[in-house]
């Protein structure tokens, strides 16, 4: 199968592309390699993919309509996975225009390309951040998500609304996945596990917000990729009758949570990391940051029912795998 993966040099995008290549698919990666975080890490992920014979790559932004049109025209994908986006809740407070350009204008370009190319299925990244001010746990796709707490969250909810329009008007099958705190080898440097590991090894304090009173649905990368692949192979169909909820539609449209559905206290997570590193962390407690959500927990009932998604990696194993990768990768860079 010919699959276009945007954000292919990113954490989830690179892992997904490798998995698709290993099962025999042909993958076109698309990424602008922006400097939001260390570009050398993105290039290192990309290097692993470029060693595969069925992988090709385009370096361009989603906002570059001509480049995106040309990629679709040349590659003619059967399915598309849109993981490219400006990520990060806190950065959206500093540079909101980046989110408008990439997450709104760029996603609109993706939808138009998928419509004209008549792709079989568009799967795209949403985020657990859309739950914003919701306080009922676990977070369910059956719940309203009308109170985002950051422009990043608002942009992801907007993507779901835009996708629904294309599913309804043009019959384009679309699926949105609300990712919950993904971690593991080759992860993002702006995420807590990466920053904590770097600082602890450097003998520097780690910053813990909300005075450590966070619970997160930490989800290991391999579990995420398994769920993404299964969902990609399960294009939604219209629901002509029967009851609906916000994650479904009469159109070929679905939204799912994808998370471990077993939240972990942040302080326990830090303790697991300390054990894996064999070092204690110096902790600097700070108040809750603007845009942050204190607790997250994914209700994945619909995803388990529809595609058999069953995450299985406990944080003790996942964090150890990350630490092993981090030490090996950065010892080679030294």
């Amino acid at each position: 199968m010919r699959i276009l993966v945007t954000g292919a040099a990113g954490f989830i995008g690179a892992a997904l592309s490798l998995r698709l290549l290993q099962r025999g698919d042909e993958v076109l990666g698309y990424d602008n390699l922006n400097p939001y975080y260390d570009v050398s890490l993105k290039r290192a992920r990309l290097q692993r993919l470029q060693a595969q014979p069925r992988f090709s790559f385009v370096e361009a932004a989603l906002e570059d309509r001509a480049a995106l049109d040309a990629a679709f025209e040349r590659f003619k994908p059967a399915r598309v996975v849109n993981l490219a986006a400006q990520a990060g809740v806190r950065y959206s407070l500093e540079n909101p225009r980046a989110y408008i350009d990439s997450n709104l204008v760029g996603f609109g370009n993706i939808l138009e390309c998928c419509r004209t190319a008549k792709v079989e299925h568009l799967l795209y990244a949403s985020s657990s951040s859309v739950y914003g001010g919701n306080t009922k746990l676990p977070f369910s796709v059956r719940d309203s998500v009308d109170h985002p707490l950051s422009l990043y969250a608002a942009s992801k909810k907007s993507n779901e609304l835009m996708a629904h329009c294309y599913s309804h008007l043009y019959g384009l099958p679309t699926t949105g996945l609300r990712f919950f705190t993904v971690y593991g080898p080759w992860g993002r440097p702006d995420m807590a596990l990466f920053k904590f590991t770097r600082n602890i090894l450097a003998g520097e304090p780690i910053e813990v917000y909300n005075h450590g009173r966070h619970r997160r649905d930490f989800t290991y990368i391999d579990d995420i990729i398994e769920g993404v692949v299964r969902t990609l192979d399960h294009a939604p169909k219209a629901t002509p009758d029967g009851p609906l909820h916000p994650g479904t539609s009469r159109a070929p449209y679905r939204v799912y949570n994808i998370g471990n559905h077993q939240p972990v206290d942040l302080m326990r997570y830090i303790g697991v990391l300390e054990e894996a590193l064999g070092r204690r962390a110096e902790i600097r407690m700070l108040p809750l940051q603007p845009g942050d959500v204190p607790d997250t927990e994914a209700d994945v009932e619909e995803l388990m029912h529809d595609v058999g998604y069953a995450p299985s990696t406990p944080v003790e194993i996942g964090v150890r795998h990350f630490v092993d990768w981090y030490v090996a990768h950065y010892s080679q860079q030294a």
Side-chain angles (χ1 to χ4, degrees):
M1 191 180 303
R2 299 167 73 85
I3 302 173
L4 190 154
V5 178
T6 73
F11 176 28
I12 300 174
L16 174 64
S17 296
L18 189 60
R19 172 70 178 275
L20 295 173
L21 291 164
Q22 289 171 343
R23 78 172 191 175
D25 293 324
E26 185 176 352
V27 175
L28 173 63
Y30 189 102
D31 200 301
N32 69 349
L33 300 176
N34 75 35
Y36 169 63
Y37 64 79
D38 182 11
V39 175
S40 68
L41 179 59
K42 298 181 181 183
R43 294 195 183 279
R45 296 185 190 123
L46 198 56
Q47 189 174 15
R48 300 171 74 216
L49 298 173
Q50 289 172 323
Q52 303 289 323
R54 290 183 299 277
F55 180 79
S56 53
F57 181 69
V58 172
E59 183 175 345
L62 295 183
E63 308 93 281
D64 187 341
R65 199 165 93 185
L68 194 62
D69 287 347
F72 269 79
E73 177 62 29
R74 179 174 61 83
F75 187 64
K76 295 180 171 51
R79 297 178 185 176
V80 175
V81 183
N82 183 61
L83 299 173
Q86 179 57 60
V89 169
R90 290 173 193 146
Y91 186 61
S92 69
L93 277 67
E94 302 171 23
N95 188 6
R97 289 184 184 275
Y99 294 77
I100 293 168
D101 292 343
S102 179
N103 300 8
L104 297 180
V105 175
F107 189 67
N109 290 341
I110 283 285
L111 287 168
E112 267 298 280
C113 285
C114 288
R115 177 180 74 87
T116 56
K118 295 181 171 55
V119 303
E120 301 170 359
H121 187 194
L122 165 62
L123 188 149
Y124 61 94
S126 186
S127 169
S128 61
S129 296
V130 301
Y131 289 102
N134 289 26
T135 56
K136 181 180 74 67
L137 294 173
F139 293 150
S140 170
V141 294
R142 297 172 179 268
D143 299 334
S144 171
V145 287
D146 293 336
H147 298 91
L149 300 182
S150 67
L151 185 63
Y152 170 66
S155 73
K156 289 300 185 178
K157 176 56 181 174
S158 298
N159 288 171
E160 296 175 5
L161 297 172
M162 294 163 72
H164 184 268
C165 289
Y166 273 72
S167 295
H168 171 73
L169 293 172
Y170 307 114
L172 172 66
T174 67
T175 302
L177 291 177
R178 293 174 178 170
F179 291 107
F180 280 71
T181 316
V182 187
Y183 75 99
W186 298 97
R188 277 176 27 206
D190 63 320
M191 299 292 284
L193 181 59
F194 208 110
K195 292 193 291 187
F196 290 169
T197 300
R198 180 178 58 222
N199 285 21
I200 292 171
L201 289 176
E204 300 173 358
I206 64 174
E207 295 182 339
V208 176
Y209 295 102
N210 202 31
H211 303 282
R213 294 189 294 271
H214 279 298
R215 298 181 81 230
R216 286 284 183 268
D217 213 331
F218 297 103
T219 314
Y220 188 62
I221 183 63
D222 291 359
D223 293 335
I224 285 286
I225 296 306
E226 179 66 25
V228 171
V229 170
R230 291 187 185 203
T231 309
L232 179 63
D233 292 341
H234 184 84
K237 294 180 172 56
T239 305
D241 48 39
L244 295 176
H245 59 76
T248 59
S249 174
R250 301 292 180 215
Y253 165 93
R254 293 293 182 276
V255 172
Y256 296 110
N257 288 333
I258 182 164
N260 197 45
H261 72 88
Q262 293 180 339
V264 175
D265 289 332
L266 178 59
M267 296 310 296
R268 176 173 170 240
Y269 192 64
I270 292 171
V272 170
L273 176 59
E274 289 174 323
E275 290 179 14
L277 290 170
R279 300 191 187 188
R280 299 287 293 176
E282 178 188 346
I283 298 175
R284 181 181 297 157
M285 293 293 188
L286 296 170
L288 185 68
Q289 292 290 286
D292 271 2
V293 176
D295 302 314
T296 65
E297 180 181 350
D299 180 341
V300 294
E301 179 183 347
E302 284 82 1
L303 190 59
M304 293 179 74
H305 177 270
D306 289 354
V307 306
Y309 172 72
S312 60
T313 306
V315 292
E316 291 80 4
I317 292 176
V319 169
R320 166 57 65 185
H321 288 333
F322 171 80
V323 167
D324 290 345
W325 167 80
Y326 184 97
V327 171
H329 180 73
Y330 285 98
S331 64
Q332 293 171 3
Q333 308 301 309

